[in-house]
Amino acid sequence: MSPASASMSLPHPLALRRDDLLPGRNFINGQWREGAAGRWLEVSDPATDAVFAQVPDSSAADAQAAVDAAHAAFASWRMVPAKQRAQIIKRWHALIQLHHEDLGRLISREQGKPLAEGRGEVAYAASYVDWFAEEAVRSNGEVIPAPVSGRRMLALKEPVGVVAAITPWNFPAAMIARKIAPALAAGCTVVCKPAEDTPLTSLALVRLAQEAGVPAGVLNIVTASRERTPEVVDVWLADSRVRKITFTGSTPVGKHLARESATTLKKLSLELGGNAPFIVFEDADLPAAVEGLMAAKFRNGGQTCVCPNRVFVQAQVHDRFVELLAARVGALQVGPATDAASQIGPMINARAVDKIARHVQDALQRGAQVVVGGRRLPALGPNYYAPTVLVGADATMACSCEETFGPVVPITRFETEAEVVAAANDTPFGLAAYFFSNDVRRIWRVADALETGIVGINEGALAAEAAPFGGVKESGYGREGSTHGLEDYQHMKYVCQGGLA
């Protein structure tokens, strides 16, 4: 099969204006290379399952070459003045903005989300690049008041070193930008591996970073299939020159990375699974709560880590809320990104659809009822599932215990505030939570009581580049975005100089 750039030359509604944004190669030490083993990974369109591109199915040798390049480049990159690093990252941001349409089309083609969402993700990714370019020149150390005369005491911030970034398929632009931008701003060098389902957008962003002037070896990317990923990542876990792992993905994989990186005591940022509650109290503005749930739940077809997974509605307003929500969900347009009217695209692959169907069937067997949806949509393509509302959900159902990662809203009726807070916290996960209420006293009681790293109050859209993003409990540790996101790529050095009196 020909490289990705050639395969994308065929006419398609999401064809790119600039074909060379699809290099179809690994990027190591400033060069685009085929994989050392000569294997290829096919990339398919989830709307049709048709293969339309290929990238290297890399090996340990590729992973090792990437680390060698990043380690060699670190000594010089860390010494580049922060202002100069910021200027390079700013140029990268400008190129992302310039190629906004192509990147949006590419996201929608390989991930399946509607084109409006693909374009929105590009803007979201660019916001992190811009933010961290500006933060690079604002990362200050401290002068510590000395306890004795004749001494100067300083706390300096330094880059941790080589960073290995492992990113998921659901936001192929935003997740890699949110990791690479702070690493480069801090003075770190990077090796990264994008998800096997959506590697093309990541490669395109790296192509633009190369054009922006990121020096050879500072940023390296290798692609690999699900089967070959352990071979690639294990090289980075074992190599003591890799000083940080940043990962977004499942909790079991995050735990594996934590265990295996312990032998070299790497720094870790882990943004893992979620099981977000969405609570609607009797005093809530119900139309606003419905719109908040629509924004939080159905973005990317429900395939986000902060999607509400369990919806709790107080008994007094339960039936009215379900009525309003069912009308909104039933009106959603499902279809491919090539249809401008589409609001919900295909799921990423057959495994995802099978999991959604299993969760719905389990809920029905345990007493839940379908209000809207509850079925596959094979007439549209192989990976579509109808936006669904279930009532009568409870904690025994799989949809309450596992992330469904799809357009399914299971609703549970509750009576009291204490009851629902206990239910919301009754999970090993703690990434995000949402609730709607107009009682200011309740707002602060519940916000304090929820065991999550992120809380949305009367708001369904939470993410912003200036805010710290991350979870507690088994949803991981570390933060992305904000000034804290830059600090996750730095360590502190204490310098004490005496004999000055």
Side-chain angles (χ1 to χ4, degrees):
M1 184 180 293
S2 60
S5 57
S7 63
M8 285 293 287
S9 64
L10 298 174
H12 188 276
L14 297 177
L16 305 189
R17 299 167 181 172
R18 182 177 160 182
D19 286 345
D20 67 333
L21 288 180
L22 288 163
R25 302 287 190 272
N26 291 331
F27 187 65
I28 299 173
N29 201 26
Q31 297 179 338
W32 294 97
R33 308 179 183 178
E34 295 185 4
R39 295 184 298 262
W40 294 95
L41 167 65
E42 294 180 336
V43 182
S44 61
D45 182 341
T48 62
D49 274 348
V51 173
F52 71 97
Q54 67 174 11
V55 295
D57 191 3
S58 301
S59 65
D62 301 303
Q64 189 66 58
V67 175
D68 291 343
H71 177 67
F74 176 62
S76 57
W77 179 246
R78 66 175 300 184
M79 300 307 297
V80 172
K83 185 174 182 179
Q84 187 175 335
R85 292 199 302 271
Q87 289 169 342
I88 293 172
I89 300 169
K90 279 283 191 181
R91 288 199 294 271
W92 186 28
H93 173 260
L95 287 168
I96 293 171
Q97 297 282 64
L98 180 64
H99 298 288
H100 181 277
E101 180 64 19
D102 268 358
L103 292 171
R105 291 182 181 190
L106 186 53
I107 291 169
S108 292
R109 183 82 187 273
E110 68 172 343
Q111 200 276 331
K113 64 183 64 176
L115 184 54
E117 289 196 24
R119 292 169 177 148
E121 185 185 338
V122 177
Y124 182 45
S127 72
Y128 282 101
V129 177
D130 188 44
W131 170 268
F132 284 112
E134 296 177 349
E135 285 298 294
V137 297
R138 299 192 180 106
S139 182
N140 301 315
E142 302 171 9
V143 177
I144 304 167
V148 296
S149 62
R151 182 182 297 174
R152 293 285 175 154
M153 300 167 62
L154 307 172
L156 308 179
K157 294 180 180 179
E158 296 187 336
V160 296
V162 178
V163 173
I166 305 163
T167 60
W169 52 262
N170 55 344
F171 289 92
M175 295 301 97
I176 201 162
R178 201 160 75 179
K179 296 178 187 301
I180 290 176
L184 298 184
C188 299
T189 56
V190 180
V191 296
C192 56
K193 194 212 79 69
E196 65 278 1
D197 291 301
T198 56
L200 303 178
T201 304
S202 300
L203 292 171
L205 286 172
V206 171
R207 166 76 86 181
L208 295 178
Q210 178 191 21
E211 290 182 18
V214 174
V218 170
L219 176 56
N220 308 273
I221 184 168
V222 298
T223 56
S225 63
R226 180 182 297 268
E227 293 74 22
R228 299 285 178 182
T229 290
E231 179 182 340
V232 169
V233 174
D234 284 351
V235 170
W236 300 341
L237 289 170
D239 197 319
S240 62
R241 298 174 300 174
V242 176
R243 297 310 313 147
K244 176 180 171 70
I245 301 285
T246 174
F247 170 73
T248 298
S250 73
T251 294
V253 173
K255 290 179 177 180
H256 170 77
L257 296 175
R259 284 191 299 268
E260 295 303 311
S261 64
T263 56
T264 52
L265 290 178
K266 304 183 195 303
K267 192 169 186 176
L268 285 137
S269 295
L270 301 175
E271 196 262 283
L272 308 177
N275 192 6
F278 188 104
I279 306 168
V280 181
F281 288 101
E282 61 180 333
D283 53 73
D285 179 332
L286 291 189
V290 168
E291 292 309 309
L293 181 56
M294 296 298 295
K297 179 63 191 182
F298 291 101
R299 184 169 63 117
N300 200 21
Q303 299 173 113
T304 84
C305 55
V306 293
C307 273
N309 201 55
R310 299 168 294 150
V311 178
F312 301 94
V313 183
Q314 202 155 17
Q316 295 89 329
V317 296
H318 176 276
D319 293 350
R320 178 58 178 158
F321 180 84
V322 171
E323 179 185 359
L324 292 172
L325 180 66
R328 287 285 284 111
V329 173
L332 288 172
Q333 297 295 308
V334 183
T338 51
D339 183 347
S342 294
Q343 297 168 291
I344 302 288
M347 301 298 100
I348 187 64
N349 53 36
R351 293 189 306 275
V353 182
D354 289 344
K355 182 179 183 181
I356 294 166
R358 175 173 61 82
H359 278 197
V360 171
Q361 185 61 32
D362 173 79
L364 296 180
Q365 290 174 348
R366 295 175 184 272
Q369 296 177 315
V370 173
V371 179
V372 174
R375 65 190 187 279
R376 297 173 188 256
L377 299 173
L380 291 175
N383 299 317
Y384 289 91
Y385 198 91
T388 298
V389 176
L390 304 174
V391 294
D394 63 42
T396 69
M397 299 173 182
C399 61
S400 296
C401 306
E402 307 171 17
E403 276 189 292
T404 301
F405 237 60
V408 178
V409 179
I411 299 178
T412 301
R413 185 190 302 258
F414 75 91
E415 297 289 343
T416 69
E417 179 184 312
E419 169 198 348
V420 77
V421 168
N425 289 337
D426 187 20
T427 172
F429 304 103
L431 183 55
Y434 309 78
F435 69 93
F436 276 70
S437 171
N438 285 322
D439 183 335
V440 69
R441 292 169 296 182
R442 168 177 279 157
I443 283 173
W444 289 109
R445 284 196 307 268
V446 174
D448 287 345
L450 290 171
E451 298 171 352
T452 57
I454 304 168
V455 178
I457 304 168
N458 297 330
E459 179 59 67
L462 299 174
E465 69 278 10
F469 189 100
V472 298
K473 301 196 290 189
E474 292 193 20
S475 289
Y477 42 77
R479 291 296 181 267
E480 295 187 317
S482 80
T483 58
H484 306 289
L486 184 61
E487 291 167 356
D488 259 336
Y489 293 84
Q490 298 170 318
H491 60 232
M492 190 73 75
K493 176 183 284 185
Y494 165 46
V495 176
C496 178
Q497 181 179 4
L500 299 176

